[in-house]
Structures are given as C-alpha cells and as structure tokens.
Amino acid sequence: MELERSSHIYDEIKSLLENARKKVLSTVNSTMTMTYFLIGKKIVEEEQNGESRAEYGKELIKNLAVQLTEEFGKGFTIRNLELIRKFYMTYSVDEKTKSVISFSENPFKLSWTHYIRLVRIQNIEERRFYEIEAEKENWTVREMDRQISSCLYERLVLSRDKEEVKALSTKGQVVEKSKDIIKDPYILEFLGLEEFSNYSENTLETAIISHIEKFIMELGKGFLFQGRQVRFTFDEEHFFVDLVFYNRILKCFVIIDLKIGKLKHQDIGQMQMYVNYYDRFVKLPDENKTIGIIICKDKNDTLVEITLPENNEQIFASRYMTILPSKEELAKIVEEEENNEK
C-alpha cells in the first residue's frame, strides 16, 4: 500500500516537472524568436540608412557575423543572419495595408526552427495555414515539414469552396461536417511502398497498421483507431471491414476500404452496405451517421458521382499515393477536379 502511494505521488510530481519544463522551453523559444525578429528589424533599418542598400547590406551582415560569432558563439553565420533578416521582412508587413506591423506583444508561438521552414513558403495564405495548424496541433518541426512536403494545404483546398479556402488561412482546418475530414489524394509515402510495385491489398493494409500513428496523422483531426478486419455478420454471412476508426469531433464511425486498383461501382455498393449496417446496428442514437471512405489507386469521378445518391455526405472515394507529389502533380489533380465539376 505504501509503495502504491509513493508511486502515485512520484507520478504526480513527475507530471508537474515535465509540464514546467515544457512551459519553460516554450517561453525560451518564443523569446528567442522575438529576439531574432528584433535583430532582423535592426539590420533592415540599418540597411535602409545605407547609401547603396545591396552592397551595404552584404557588408553589414558579413561584419555582424564575425562580431556576433566572436561574442556569442555559433548561430550567427552569414546564412543565419540572412534568414533572420528574411524572417523580419516576412512577418513585419501587413499584406493588406503594406504597412509595417508594430507588435504590442510577442506574436510568435512556435520555435525558431519552425519559422525557418515557414518563411520558405511564398503563398501567404498557405504559410498562415501551416503556422496556425502547427500551433493548434503542437506539430514538431519534422511533423510540420512532412505536412508541407505532402502538400496538405493544396489537398484540403481541393474539396473546399472559395470562402472555406479563405478560412484555412485564418482559422486553420475546422472539422464540422463529413467533407471536412476528406483528403484527395491521401499521401502514404511513410509506408515505404514503391509507386509501381506489385503488392496486395493485404500488404497495403499491413503496412498501414505498422505505421498506424503516421496514418492517423495523415487522416487528420480527431481520429481514434478501432480495429482491422472488423467482422460483422447477418443471415449467417460474414463481412470484414478493412479499417474502422472513430472520429471524436464528428462523433461518428469512419470505416475505410482499401483498393489497390481502379475503383469499381461494386466497390461503392459494398461500402454503402457497410455504412448502412453501422448506422442501423452499431452506432448509438446520439452518434452521427457513419462515414465511409474508399481509398483507391485510381478512380473515375463521374462513376462515383453517378453511383452515389445526390447530396451524398456519407461515402467518399479518394486516391492514394505512395510517394510525395510535386506541386505540379497536385495542380494537375486540381485541374482534373475542376473539369469534372463543370
């Protein structure tokens, strides 16, 4: 009994110390980021007072790199000072009014390393989206970099109208209805499967289970894993759902079927049956309708639209890719989607 009480107190104290360390680290990161912003401000203001901005700016940064490195050690190379300058130039001007922003308090919630990655994004709305999401979802730099590299912003744009796209840069990703959790395509580069190699649906499913945390992150907000090859039975016939999740934000089951080939109308009919079963026999009265997602290698959007009922909000078909796409590839998919809607 005494050992249990001692262990309980230890766990509580450990939790307090870990939370304190996180807060201290967060404060240090925020303070250093604001300091770099102010250093960038000083550099830009000094450059603007020079007779020849370009040449004077180069010499100024070169001299500062030498002096600051001697005094404060690593971290003030020419390259880093150029990044600090770029950071200030990126975040100091209001894009609407084109006026310099005067911050009354520290606006920077992420680490300096996060901002080094963010300033490389030219699209302002896209950059704001990743900044909001990184703070809300507590992304590490590696997690944020993966989301940027997998073109998360572009993929979310695909399924949204103009007003919803605008909201991405002010609110981040908001999940309120079934379509808000859908991505097309899903990027599964973390599975390690080659783009054109031969593998079975079971191999794809097994790879996903082996990387379930990364897969859940790719799915998005609010997902909880329920099971693999979940069986249900009626009329003495067994059926198996590839993957079952629950979304705590939408308060509904999300069932996923994996197809390694081109989507067929029979696949959609099968998913419709799965969704109907869950709605009628599994979900509770206070839960929302089940969402079914068929993740396939290829699909015909017209076939999907004709097979599903009008105003469909329950069943969706999305492609998957096993390599990180380029911006050009995503742009092509956007163009295809727009042509299908016309």
Side-chain angles (χ1 to χ4, degrees):
M1 185 65 180
E2 290 298 324
L3 287 174
E4 288 182 4
R5 289 177 61 186
S6 177
S7 176
H8 180 65
I9 293 172
Y10 170 78
D11 289 340
E12 290 182 344
I13 293 174
K14 179 183 175 182
S15 178
L16 287 170
L17 289 171
E18 287 176 344
N19 289 334
R21 285 178 179 176
K22 288 178 182 178
K23 288 180 180 179
V24 169
L25 182 60
S26 176
T27 301
V28 170
N29 281 333
S30 178
T31 302
M32 287 307 301
T33 302
M34 188 62 187
T35 301
Y36 290 142
F37 179 84
L38 295 174
I39 291 172
K41 182 175 185 289
K42 293 291 184 183
I43 291 172
V44 171
E45 288 176 346
E46 181 63 24
E47 286 177 341
Q48 290 173 344
N49 291 328
E51 294 181 3
S52 175
R53 292 185 186 179
E55 290 304 315
Y56 180 70
K58 288 180 181 179
E59 286 300 314
L60 173 64
I61 288 179
K62 183 179 177 181
N63 292 333
L64 282 174
V66 173
Q67 293 172 305
L68 291 172
T69 300
E70 287 179 356
E71 182 72 22
F72 296 98
K74 296 179 180 179
F76 295 100
T77 63
I78 292 175
R79 172 60 180 156
N80 284 348
L81 287 175
E82 287 174 343
L83 282 171
I84 289 171
R85 180 187 182 280
K86 184 177 182 180
F87 173 58
Y88 172 75
M89 296 295 289
T90 300
Y91 281 89
S92 64
V93 178
D94 187 310
E95 289 300 323
K96 291 183 178 179
T97 63
K98 301 300 179 183
S99 59
V100 176
I101 301 172
S102 178
F103 296 115
S104 57
E105 59 183 40
N106 190 343
F108 305 115
K109 309 301 182 185
L110 303 173
S111 73
W112 170 239
T113 314
H114 281 89
Y115 287 106
I116 289 176
R117 182 66 178 90
L118 286 167
V119 295
R120 288 158 53 188
I121 301 174
Q122 298 298 316
N123 183 303
I124 299 166
E125 286 74 23
E126 181 182 353
R127 184 173 65 245
R128 285 175 177 166
F129 165 77
Y130 286 117
E131 187 175 358
I132 292 169
E133 286 297 301
E135 182 185 347
K136 284 168 55 178
E137 300 301 314
N138 198 29
W139 286 344
T140 64
V141 175
R142 179 177 292 183
E143 288 168 343
M144 186 183 77
D145 190 60
R146 192 264 164 187
Q147 298 289 19
I148 295 171
S149 298
S150 67
C151 304
L152 174 62
Y153 177 77
E154 287 89 342
R155 288 186 286 145
L156 291 176
V157 164
L158 284 175
S159 60
R160 285 161 170 75
D161 59 30
K162 290 183 179 179
E163 286 302 313
E164 290 174 324
V165 170
K166 186 178 179 181
L168 286 174
S169 65
T170 56
K171 301 177 182 178
Q173 183 185 4
V174 178
V175 175
E176 295 177 336
K177 54 186 183 297
S178 56
K179 287 185 178 180
D180 292 338
I181 65 171
I182 304 302
K183 296 174 185 173
D184 189 10
Y186 286 92
I187 309 300
L188 310 179
E189 91 292 345
F190 50 83
L191 300 182
L193 298 173
E194 295 182 10
E195 184 71 355
F196 300 107
S197 63
N198 292 321
Y199 50 83
S200 66
E201 287 170 1
N202 182 66
T203 300
L204 176 61
E205 181 183 316
T206 300
I208 287 173
I209 295 300
S210 298
H211 299 82
I212 192 65
E213 289 186 10
K214 292 181 179 179
F215 184 68
I216 289 175
M217 184 174 180
E218 172 62 12
L219 287 178
K221 300 175 185 288
F223 281 90
L224 302 172
F225 181 53
Q226 295 282 297
R228 170 192 187 186
Q229 289 296 309
V230 178
R231 188 180 79 172
F232 65 88
T233 304
F234 61 85
D235 291 342
E236 299 182 355
E237 189 171 357
H238 302 305
F239 299 89
F240 297 86
V241 183
D242 288 344
L243 301 168
V244 177
F245 294 85
Y246 190 83
N247 191 282
R248 59 186 180 83
I249 299 175
L250 294 178
K251 293 182 172 57
C252 70
F253 286 98
V254 180
I255 57 181
I256 294 177
D257 209 12
L258 303 170
K259 300 296 177 185
I260 60 172
K262 189 168 184 176
L263 186 67
K264 301 174 182 177
H265 71 274
Q266 294 96 326
D267 301 325
I268 302 173
Q270 177 178 269
M271 177 57 80
Q272 182 73 70
M273 186 266 286
Y274 290 170
V275 165
N276 288 344
Y277 180 87
Y278 264 74
D279 277 350
R280 295 172 190 177
F281 302 108
V282 180
K283 87 174 188 68
L284 299 175
D286 61 341
E287 292 177 324
N288 293 313
K289 289 186 176 182
T290 304
I291 297 171
I293 307 173
I294 308 170
I295 299 180
C296 54
K297 190 65 177 173
D298 193 15
K299 63 171 180 165
N300 182 319
D301 288 316
T302 303
L303 173 68
V304 175
E305 184 179 347
I306 291 175
T307 305
L308 291 171
E310 292 184 15
N311 301 317
N312 163 62
E313 293 184 352
Q314 283 188 267
I315 298 175
F316 303 90
S318 295
R319 303 174 185 88
Y320 73 86
M321 300 176 71
T322 55
I323 60 171
L324 290 173
S326 65
K327 298 279 187 180
E328 291 73 22
E329 288 174 302
L330 261 296
K332 184 178 180 181
I333 293 175
V334 172
E335 186 178 345
E336 289 174 357
E337 292 287 339
E338 290 176 345
N339 290 335
N340 289 329
E341 291 176 0
K342 292 179 181 179

Coordinates of all heavy atoms in Angstrom, one line a residue, residues 155-214:
R155 N -4.2 19.9 -50.8 CA -5.1 18.8 -50.8 C -6.4 19.2 -50.2 O -7.5 18.8 -50.6 CB -4.5 17.6 -50.2 CG -3.4 16.9 -51.0 CD -2.9 15.6 -50.4 NE -2.1 15.9 -49.2 CZ -2.1 15.1 -48.2 NH1 -2.9 14.0 -48.1 NH2 -1.2 15.3 -47.2
L156 N -6.3 20.0 -49.1 CA -7.6 20.5 -48.4 C -8.3 21.5 -49.3 O -9.5 21.5 -49.3 CB -7.2 21.1 -47.1 CG -6.7 20.2 -46.0 CD1 -6.3 21.0 -44.8 CD2 -7.7 19.1 -45.7
V157 N -7.6 22.3 -50.1 CA -8.2 23.2 -51.0 C -9.1 22.5 -52.0 O -10.1 23.1 -52.4 CB -7.1 24.1 -51.7 CG1 -7.6 24.8 -52.9 CG2 -6.5 25.1 -50.7
L158 N -8.7 21.3 -52.4 CA -9.4 20.6 -53.5 C -10.9 20.4 -53.1 O -11.7 20.5 -54.0 CB -8.8 19.2 -53.7 CG -7.5 19.1 -54.5 CD1 -7.0 17.7 -54.5 CD2 -7.7 19.6 -55.9
S159 N -11.2 20.2 -51.9 CA -12.6 19.9 -51.5 C -13.4 21.1 -50.9 O -14.4 20.9 -50.2 CB -12.6 18.7 -50.5 OG -11.9 19.1 -49.3
R160 N -12.8 22.3 -51.1 CA -13.5 23.5 -50.5 C -13.8 24.6 -51.5 O -13.1 24.7 -52.5 CB -12.5 24.0 -49.4 CG -12.5 23.2 -48.1 CD -11.3 23.4 -47.3 NE -11.4 22.8 -46.0 CZ -11.3 21.5 -45.8 NH1 -11.0 20.7 -46.8 NH2 -11.5 20.9 -44.6
D161 N -14.9 25.3 -51.1 CA -15.2 26.5 -52.0 C -14.4 27.7 -51.6 O -13.5 27.6 -50.7 CB -16.7 26.8 -51.8 CG -17.1 27.1 -50.4 OD1 -16.3 27.7 -49.6 OD2 -18.3 26.9 -50.1
K162 N -14.5 28.8 -52.2 CA -13.7 29.9 -52.0 C -13.7 30.5 -50.6 O -12.6 30.8 -50.0 CB -14.0 31.1 -53.0 CG -13.7 30.8 -54.5 CD -14.0 31.9 -55.4 CE -13.7 31.6 -56.8 NZ -14.0 32.7 -57.7
E163 N -14.8 30.5 -50.0 CA -14.9 31.0 -48.6 C -14.2 30.1 -47.6 O -13.6 30.5 -46.7 CB -16.4 31.2 -48.2 CG -17.1 32.4 -48.9 CD -16.3 33.7 -48.6 OE1 -16.0 33.9 -47.4 OE2 -16.1 34.5 -49.5
E164 N -14.4 28.8 -47.9 CA -13.8 27.8 -47.0 C -12.3 27.8 -47.2 O -11.5 27.6 -46.2 CB -14.3 26.4 -47.3 CG -15.8 26.2 -46.8 CD -16.4 24.9 -47.3 OE1 -16.0 24.4 -48.4 OE2 -17.2 24.3 -46.5
V165 N -11.8 28.0 -48.4 CA -10.4 28.1 -48.6 C -9.8 29.3 -47.9 O -8.7 29.3 -47.3 CB -10.1 28.2 -50.2 CG1 -8.6 28.6 -50.4 CG2 -10.4 26.9 -50.8
K166 N -10.5 30.4 -48.0 CA -10.1 31.7 -47.3 C -10.0 31.4 -45.8 O -9.1 31.9 -45.1 CB -11.1 32.8 -47.6 CG -10.7 34.1 -47.0 CD -11.7 35.2 -47.4 CE -11.3 36.6 -46.8 NZ -12.3 37.6 -47.2
A167 N -10.9 30.6 -45.2 CA -10.9 30.3 -43.8 C -9.7 29.5 -43.4 O -9.3 29.6 -42.2 CB -12.2 29.6 -43.4
L168 N -9.2 28.7 -44.3 CA -8.0 27.9 -43.9 C -6.8 28.8 -43.4 O -6.1 28.4 -42.5 CB -7.5 27.1 -45.1 CG -8.4 25.9 -45.5 CD1 -7.8 25.3 -46.8 CD2 -8.4 24.9 -44.4
S169 N -6.7 30.0 -44.0 CA -5.6 30.9 -43.6 C -5.9 31.7 -42.4 O -5.0 32.4 -41.9 CB -5.2 31.8 -44.8 OG -6.3 32.7 -45.1
T170 N -7.1 31.7 -41.9 CA -7.4 32.5 -40.7 C -7.8 31.6 -39.5 O -7.6 32.0 -38.4 CB -8.6 33.4 -41.0 OG1 -9.7 32.7 -41.5 CG2 -8.2 34.5 -42.1
K171 N -8.3 30.4 -39.8 CA -8.8 29.5 -38.7 C -8.0 28.2 -38.7 O -8.2 27.4 -37.8 CB -10.3 29.3 -38.8 CG -11.1 30.5 -38.7 CD -12.6 30.2 -38.9 CE -13.5 31.5 -38.9 NZ -14.9 31.1 -39.1
G172 N -7.4 27.9 -39.8 CA -6.8 26.5 -40.0 C -7.9 25.6 -40.4 O -8.9 26.0 -40.9
Q173 N -7.6 24.3 -40.2 CA -8.6 23.3 -40.7 C -9.7 23.1 -39.6 O -9.4 22.7 -38.4 CB -7.9 21.9 -40.9 CG -8.9 20.9 -41.4 CD -8.3 19.5 -41.6 OE1 -7.1 19.3 -41.2 NE2 -9.0 18.6 -42.1
V174 N -10.9 23.4 -39.9 CA -12.0 23.3 -39.0 C -12.9 22.1 -39.4 O -13.3 22.0 -40.5 CB -12.9 24.6 -38.9 CG1 -14.1 24.4 -38.0 CG2 -12.0 25.8 -38.5
V175 N -13.1 21.2 -38.5 CA -13.9 20.0 -38.8 C -15.3 20.1 -38.2 O -15.5 20.1 -37.0 CB -13.2 18.7 -38.2 CG1 -14.1 17.5 -38.4 CG2 -11.8 18.5 -38.8
E176 N -16.3 20.3 -39.1 CA -17.7 20.5 -38.7 C -18.6 19.5 -39.4 O -19.7 19.2 -38.9 CB -18.1 21.9 -39.0 CG -17.4 23.0 -38.1 CD -17.8 24.4 -38.5 OE1 -18.3 24.6 -39.6 OE2 -17.6 25.3 -37.6
K177 N -18.2 19.1 -40.6 CA -19.1 18.1 -41.3 C -18.2 17.1 -42.0 O -17.0 17.2 -42.0 CB -19.9 18.9 -42.4 CG -19.0 19.7 -43.3 CD -19.9 20.6 -44.2 CE -19.1 21.4 -45.2 NZ -18.2 22.4 -44.6
S178 N -18.8 16.1 -42.5 CA -18.1 14.9 -43.0 C -17.0 15.3 -44.1 O -15.9 14.7 -44.1 CB -19.1 13.9 -43.6 OG -19.9 14.5 -44.6
K179 N -17.4 16.2 -45.0 CA -16.4 16.5 -46.1 C -15.1 17.2 -45.5 O -14.1 17.2 -46.2 CB -17.1 17.5 -47.1 CG -18.1 16.8 -48.0 CD -18.6 17.7 -49.0 CE -19.6 17.0 -50.0 NZ -20.2 17.9 -51.0
D180 N -15.2 17.7 -44.3 CA -14.0 18.4 -43.8 C -12.9 17.5 -43.4 O -11.7 17.9 -43.3 CB -14.4 19.2 -42.5 CG -15.4 20.3 -42.8 OD1 -15.4 20.8 -43.9 OD2 -16.1 20.7 -41.8
I181 N -13.2 16.2 -43.3 CA -12.1 15.2 -43.0 C -11.5 14.5 -44.2 O -10.6 13.7 -44.1 CB -12.5 14.2 -41.9 CG1 -13.6 13.3 -42.5 CG2 -13.0 14.9 -40.6 CD1 -14.0 12.1 -41.6
I182 N -12.1 14.8 -45.3 CA -11.7 14.1 -46.6 C -10.5 14.8 -47.2 O -10.5 16.0 -47.4 CB -12.9 14.0 -47.5 CG1 -14.1 13.3 -46.9 CG2 -12.5 13.2 -48.8 CD1 -13.8 11.9 -46.3
K183 N -9.6 13.9 -47.7 CA -8.4 14.4 -48.5 C -8.4 13.6 -49.8 O -8.8 12.5 -49.8 CB -7.1 14.2 -47.7 CG -7.0 15.0 -46.4 CD -5.7 14.7 -45.7 CE -5.6 15.4 -44.4 NZ -4.5 14.9 -43.6
D184 N -8.0 14.3 -50.8 CA -7.8 13.6 -52.1 C -6.7 14.2 -52.8 O -6.8 15.4 -53.3 CB -9.1 13.6 -52.9 CG -9.1 12.7 -54.1 OD1 -8.1 11.9 -54.2 OD2 -10.0 12.8 -54.9
P185 N -5.5 13.6 -52.9 CA -5.2 12.2 -52.5 C -4.8 12.1 -51.1 O -4.4 13.2 -50.5 CB -4.1 11.8 -53.5 CG -3.4 13.1 -53.7 CD -4.4 14.1 -53.7
Y186 N -4.7 10.9 -50.5 CA -4.0 10.6 -49.3 C -2.6 10.3 -49.6 O -2.3 9.5 -50.6 CB -4.7 9.4 -48.6 CG -6.0 9.8 -47.9 CD1 -7.2 9.6 -48.6 CD2 -6.0 10.4 -46.6 CE1 -8.4 10.0 -48.0 CE2 -7.3 10.7 -46.1 CZ -8.4 10.5 -46.8 OH -9.6 10.9 -46.2
I187 N -1.6 10.8 -48.9 CA -0.2 10.6 -49.2 C 0.3 9.6 -48.2 O 0.4 9.9 -47.0 CB 0.6 11.9 -49.2 CG1 -0.1 13.0 -50.0 CG2 2.0 11.7 -49.6 CD1 -0.2 12.6 -51.5
L188 N 0.8 8.5 -48.7 CA 1.2 7.4 -47.8 C 2.7 7.0 -48.0 O 3.1 5.8 -48.0 CB 0.3 6.1 -48.0 CG -1.2 6.4 -48.0 CD1 -1.9 5.0 -48.3 CD2 -1.6 6.9 -46.7
E189 N 3.5 8.0 -48.2 CA 4.9 7.8 -48.5 C 5.6 7.1 -47.4 O 6.6 6.4 -47.6 CB 5.6 9.1 -48.9 CG 6.3 9.9 -47.8 CD 5.3 10.5 -46.8 OE1 4.1 10.6 -47.1 OE2 5.7 10.9 -45.7
F190 N 5.1 7.2 -46.2 CA 5.7 6.7 -45.0 C 5.6 5.1 -44.9 O 6.3 4.5 -44.1 CB 5.1 7.3 -43.7 CG 3.6 7.2 -43.7 CD1 2.9 6.1 -43.3 CD2 2.9 8.3 -44.1 CE1 1.6 6.1 -43.3 CE2 1.5 8.3 -44.0 CZ 0.8 7.2 -43.6
L191 N 4.8 4.6 -45.8 CA 4.7 3.1 -45.9 C 5.9 2.4 -46.5 O 6.1 1.2 -46.3 CB 3.4 2.7 -46.6 CG 2.1 3.2 -46.1 CD1 0.9 2.7 -46.9 CD2 1.9 2.8 -44.6
G192 N 6.6 3.2 -47.3 CA 7.8 2.6 -47.9 C 7.5 1.7 -49.1 O 8.3 0.9 -49.5
L193 N 6.3 1.8 -49.7 CA 5.9 1.1 -50.9 C 6.2 1.8 -52.1 O 5.9 3.0 -52.2 CB 4.4 0.8 -50.8 CG 3.9 -0.1 -49.6 CD1 2.3 -0.1 -49.7 CD2 4.5 -1.5 -49.7
E194 N 6.8 1.2 -53.1 CA 7.2 1.8 -54.3 C 5.9 2.1 -55.1 O 4.9 1.4 -55.1 CB 8.2 1.0 -55.1 CG 9.5 0.8 -54.4 CD 10.5 0.0 -55.3 OE1 10.2 -0.3 -56.5 OE2 11.5 -0.4 -54.8
E195 N 6.0 3.2 -55.9 CA 4.8 3.7 -56.7 C 4.3 2.6 -57.6 O 3.1 2.5 -57.7 CB 5.2 4.9 -57.4 CG 4.1 5.6 -58.2 CD 3.1 6.3 -57.2 OE1 3.2 6.1 -56.0 OE2 2.1 6.9 -57.7
F196 N 5.1 1.9 -58.3 CA 4.6 1.0 -59.3 C 4.9 -0.5 -59.0 O 4.9 -1.3 -59.9 CB 5.2 1.3 -60.7 CG 4.9 2.7 -61.1 CD1 5.9 3.7 -61.1 CD2 3.6 3.1 -61.5 CE1 5.5 5.0 -61.5 CE2 3.3 4.4 -61.9 CZ 4.2 5.3 -61.9
S197 N 5.2 -0.8 -57.8 CA 5.5 -2.2 -57.4 C 4.2 -3.0 -57.2 O 3.1 -2.4 -57.0 CB 6.3 -2.2 -56.1 OG 5.5 -1.7 -55.0
N198 N 4.2 -4.3 -57.4 CA 3.1 -5.1 -57.2 C 2.9 -5.5 -55.7 O 3.8 -6.1 -55.2 CB 3.2 -6.4 -58.1 CG 3.1 -6.1 -59.5 OD1 2.3 -5.2 -60.0 ND2 4.0 -6.7 -60.3
Y199 N 1.8 -5.2 -55.1 CA 1.5 -5.6 -53.8 C 0.0 -5.8 -53.6 O -0.8 -5.2 -54.4 CB 2.0 -4.5 -52.8 CG 1.6 -3.1 -53.0 CD1 0.4 -2.7 -52.6 CD2 2.4 -2.2 -53.7 CE1 0.0 -1.4 -52.9 CE2 2.1 -0.9 -54.0 CZ 0.8 -0.5 -53.6 OH 0.4 0.8 -53.8
S200 N -0.3 -6.6 -52.7 CA -1.7 -6.9 -52.5 C -2.4 -5.9 -51.5 O -1.7 -5.1 -50.9 CB -1.9 -8.3 -51.9 OG -1.3 -8.3 -50.5
E201 N -3.7 -6.0 -51.5 CA -4.5 -5.1 -50.5 C -4.1 -5.4 -49.1 O -4.1 -4.6 -48.2 CB -6.0 -5.2 -50.8 CG -6.4 -4.5 -52.1 CD -7.8 -4.8 -52.5 OE1 -8.5 -5.6 -51.8 OE2 -8.2 -4.3 -53.6
N202 N -3.8 -6.7 -48.8 CA -3.4 -7.1 -47.5 C -2.1 -6.5 -47.1 O -1.9 -6.1 -46.0 CB -3.3 -8.7 -47.4 CG -3.0 -9.1 -46.0 OD1 -3.7 -9.0 -45.1 ND2 -1.8 -9.7 -45.9
T203 N -1.1 -6.5 -48.1 CA 0.2 -5.9 -47.9 C 0.0 -4.4 -47.6 O 0.7 -3.9 -46.6 CB 1.1 -6.0 -49.1 OG1 1.2 -7.4 -49.4 CG2 2.4 -5.4 -48.9
L204 N -0.9 -3.7 -48.3 CA -1.1 -2.3 -48.1 C -1.7 -2.1 -46.7 O -1.3 -1.2 -45.9 CB -2.1 -1.7 -49.1 CG -2.5 -0.3 -49.0 CD1 -1.4 0.7 -49.0 CD2 -3.6 0.1 -50.0
E205 N -2.7 -2.9 -46.3 CA -3.3 -2.8 -45.0 C -2.3 -3.1 -43.9 O -2.3 -2.3 -42.9 CB -4.5 -3.8 -44.9 CG -5.2 -3.8 -43.6 CD -6.3 -4.9 -43.6 OE1 -7.0 -5.0 -44.6 OE2 -6.4 -5.5 -42.6
T206 N -1.5 -4.1 -44.0 CA -0.5 -4.4 -43.0 C 0.5 -3.3 -42.8 O 0.9 -3.0 -41.7 CB 0.2 -5.7 -43.4 OG1 -0.7 -6.8 -43.5 CG2 1.3 -6.1 -42.4
A207 N 0.9 -2.7 -44.0 CA 1.9 -1.6 -43.9 C 1.2 -0.4 -43.1 O 1.9 0.3 -42.3 CB 2.3 -1.1 -45.3
I208 N -0.1 -0.2 -43.3 CA -0.7 0.9 -42.6 C -0.8 0.6 -41.1 O -0.5 1.5 -40.3 CB -2.2 1.1 -43.2 CG1 -2.1 1.8 -44.6 CG2 -3.0 2.0 -42.3 CD1 -3.4 1.8 -45.3
I209 N -1.1 -0.6 -40.8 CA -1.2 -1.0 -39.4 C 0.2 -0.8 -38.7 O 0.3 -0.4 -37.6 CB -1.7 -2.4 -39.2 CG1 -3.1 -2.5 -39.7 CG2 -1.6 -2.8 -37.7 CD1 -4.1 -1.6 -38.9
S210 N 1.3 -1.1 -39.5 CA 2.6 -1.0 -38.9 C 3.0 0.5 -38.7 O 3.9 0.8 -38.0 CB 3.6 -1.7 -39.9 OG 3.4 -3.0 -40.0
H211 N 2.3 1.4 -39.4 CA 2.6 2.8 -39.3 C 1.3 3.5 -38.9 O 1.0 4.6 -39.4 CB 3.1 3.4 -40.6 CG 4.4 2.8 -41.1 ND1 4.5 1.6 -41.7 CD2 5.7 3.2 -40.9 CE1 5.7 1.3 -42.0 NE2 6.5 2.2 -41.5
I212 N 0.6 2.9 -37.9 CA -0.8 3.5 -37.6 C -0.7 4.9 -37.1 O -1.6 5.7 -37.4 CB -1.5 2.5 -36.6 CG1 -3.0 2.9 -36.6 CG2 -0.8 2.5 -35.3 CD1 -3.7 2.7 -37.8
E213 N 0.3 5.3 -36.3 CA 0.3 6.6 -35.8 C 0.5 7.6 -37.0 O -0.2 8.7 -37.0 CB 1.5 6.8 -34.8 CG 1.2 6.1 -33.5 CD 2.3 6.4 -32.5 OE1 3.1 7.3 -32.7 OE2 2.3 5.7 -31.4
K214 N 1.3 7.3 -37.9 CA 1.5 8.2 -39.1 C 0.3 8.3 -39.9 O -0.1 9.3 -40.5 CB 2.8 7.8 -39.9 CG 4.1 8.0 -39.1 CD 5.3 7.6 -40.0 CE 6.6 7.8 -39.2 NZ 7.8 7.4 -40.0

